Amino acid sequence: LTVAVSEHVREKMIGLGCSPHRICTIHNGIDLERPLSAVRPRTEVLDAASIPRHAGLLLLFGWEPIVKGVDTALEAAAVVTQRSPAAVLGIVGTERLHKFVG
């Protein structure tokens, strides 16, 4: 059994040869409770990342930079920070992200 997080992903999987009968679609595939349960205080996280405490933090999960739209997020962040210099874009990812942004 394979889990897809959207119909788009499901269709791509079928196109790659996965059996439609073995794909379960769970839309957005995320735990909505997890982001609301802080493991560390916000101030601690901001300090660890050298982000000013008064900053607005925009968070993006960019594991796959192209699929996740990192390029579009960077362009949007440039516009946002012109209007609100206290805004910061934080992107979580892997070495692939670092190479893409590099």
Side-chain angles (χ1 to χ4, degrees):
L1 182 65
T2 305
V3 176
V5 296
S6 69
E7 288 302 318
H8 174 75
V9 171
R10 181 180 187 280
E11 294 302 319
K12 285 182 81 170
M13 293 168 70
I14 292 170
L16 292 170
C18 292
S19 169
H21 304 288
R22 299 204 32 88
I23 301 171
C24 174
T25 304
I26 302 175
H27 294 281
N28 291 324
I30 59 173
D31 178 357
L32 296 176
E33 297 297 319
R34 186 172 177 210
L36 302 175
S37 59
V39 176
R40 295 171 30 198
R42 182 179 192 275
T43 53
E44 183 181 319
V45 173
L46 294 175
D47 290 348
S50 300
I51 298 171
R53 290 184 178 188
H54 67 277
L57 177 60
L58 308 169
L59 180 61
L60 171 66
F61 295 98
W63 310 114
E64 292 290 335
I66 299 299
V67 173
K68 294 296 185 179
V70 171
D71 54 339
T72 304
L74 291 170
E75 290 175 16
V79 172
V80 170
T81 55
Q82 286 177 352
R83 295 180 183 166
S84 177
V88 175
L89 173 63
I91 309 174
V92 178
T94 62
E95 185 63 29
R96 181 176 282 162
L97 170 67
H98 292 280
K99 287 179 182 177
F100 183 83
V101 174

